[in-house]
Amino acid sequence: QVQLVESGGGLVQAGGSLRLSCAASGRTFSSYAMGWFRQAPGKEREFVAAINWSGDITYCSDSVKGRFTISRDNAKNTVYLQMNSLKPEDTAVYYCTAGAGSVRVSPWAYDYWGQGTQVTVSS
């Protein structure tokens, strides 16, 4: 069992930066692939980024590539999402997720989800 708690969301102007953190409980954190998804009002949940258990494989969606970076610190049971050059279209609730296996883009591949943190980018 893994419990995930996101933090770091907030209101930022376009062009600004935020770093989201996701703290995980459980001794098996380092064995899970971790991901970030987001959901804007009226839209489906969208894949943002994922990282494998060791941190040497990462993947970001085309919409955030070059602006967002996912990383993890297994000693701290934490995964991060560094978001730079934010745009109004990045406004959404961001969810942290964990799953067995490698990097996946489908939300169905992940077993555990956090409660989400709101990111709002003003123009």
Side-chain angles (χ1 to χ4, degrees):
Q1 188 77 12
V2 177
Q3 292 184 328
L4 305 171
V5 179
E6 303 98 333
S7 61
L11 173 64
V12 64
Q13 288 188 333
S17 298
L18 283 174
R19 188 176 81 156
L20 305 183
S21 298
C22 174
S25 64
R27 292 175 292 177
T28 58
F29 170 79
S30 61
S31 67
Y32 284 93
M34 302 295 295
W36 287 95
F37 286 75
R38 67 186 181 187
Q39 189 165 20
K43 295 187 177 181
E44 293 187 353
R45 192 163 294 191
E46 173 191 19
F47 170 80
V48 176
I51 188 167
N52 74 331
W53 69 273
S54 63
D56 61 349
I57 299 174
T58 62
Y59 182 72
C60 291
S61 68
D62 288 343
S63 62
V64 307
K65 198 168 293 181
R67 300 188 297 122
F68 291 12
T69 303
I70 187 170
S71 62
R72 68 189 296 162
D73 185 338
N74 286 342
K76 296 182 178 180
N77 279 13
T78 302
V79 63
Y80 304 98
L81 184 68
Q82 178 66 45
M83 306 186 295
N84 299 328
S85 302
L86 283 160
K87 304 175 181 180
E89 51 264 44
D90 294 319
T91 295
V93 177
Y94 284 70
Y95 297 91
C96 173
T97 185
S102 187
V103 170
R104 297 287 188 270
V105 300
S106 168
W108 300 106
Y110 295 89
D111 304 305
Y112 304 101
W113 293 81
Q115 82 289 350
T117 186
Q118 177 70 47
V119 171
T120 303
V121 184
S122 63
S123 57

